Amino acid sequence: MEEKSIHIIGITGEAGAGKSVVLSYLKDNYPCEVLMADEIGNQVKEPGERCYDAVIRLLGEEIVREDGTLDKTLIASKIFADEVLLEQMNAIIHPAVHDVIFERIDALRQEGKIPFVFIEAALLIEAGYVDEIDELWYICCDSQFRRMRLKENRGYSDARINGIMSKQLTTNTFKKYANRVVMNNTTKEELYQKIDTIMGEYQWVN
């Protein structure tokens, strides 16, 4: 079977900018596959999956629950309290997530049913995905809107929000790598119109 061309688009931006809203709209309204790195990162740590044993070797048997699954809360408490452990954990998980994403993209090419794949990953730029995708969209909004959304939608405290924001890339860095900047300072309806305008520029066959 002849492989079909797939346009691979990365979705990035700060926490609270509205990436999940964009991805949900795209999935519901366009012929595409959405691959979420966080979801895949959880999958590869499940029993029998490619990172399960390596994570246990790194963090110890105490992270294993009675049912064989790994305790996410305990894992988080260990790795976020130790920079070395965090780096070692990332060295296990990130390459595996990358491999799963591109294995799925290869399978989708073989199937030839969809023209778009959207990848969302917190470290899309830092992990080097920009060299392997066709374009990058930067979803952004002013910091006061991001703070409001993180408080209202996720219940985050000011201290937690400050911690998250302090570790993220600067706006200028995001813009440096982005092919498109999608501002999300207003309503969902206006955001959807912007997405429709962008998607209308592409040519595909359903």
Side-chain angles (χ1 to χ4, degrees), residues 20-34 192:
S20 60
V21 174
V22 170
L23 290 165
S24 178
Y25 183 76
L26 287 164
K27 190 171 184 178
D28 289 344
N29 292 277
Y30 292 96
C32 68
E33 182 81 6
V34 172
Y192 297 157

Side-chain angles (χ1 to χ4, degrees), residues 149-185:
R149 290 168 185 161
L150 290 172
K151 284 183 178 181
E152 293 180 355
N153 299 337
R154 304 188 197 179
Y156 287 0
S157 66
D158 285 327
R160 184 169 184 182
I161 293 170
N162 290 339
I164 291 170
M165 289 186 170
S166 69
K167 294 177 182 178
Q168 295 189 320
L169 298 177
T170 65
T171 297
N172 287 339
T173 302
F174 279 116
K175 288 182 176 179
K176 174 184 175 182
Y177 289 95
N179 301 97
R180 297 179 185 272
V181 177
V182 182
M183 184 61 72
N184 182 26
N185 273 347

Side-chain angles (χ1 to χ4, degrees), residues 91-138:
I92 293 170
I93 302 300
H94 289 171
V97 170
H98 172 278
D99 289 348
V100 170
I101 285 174
F102 284 93
E103 285 166 11
R104 292 186 183 178
I105 290 172
D106 286 342
L108 290 166
R109 283 197 184 101
Q110 291 286 346
E111 292 174 9
K113 294 179 180 179
I114 60 167
F116 298 100
V117 170
F118 291 91
I119 303 172
E120 193 279 327
L123 302 177
L124 203 63
I125 294 171
E126 299 94 317
Y129 282 81
V130 289
D131 297 323
E132 300 178 272
I133 60 180
D134 295 305
E135 64 177 287
L136 181 67
W137 294 8
Y138 169 39

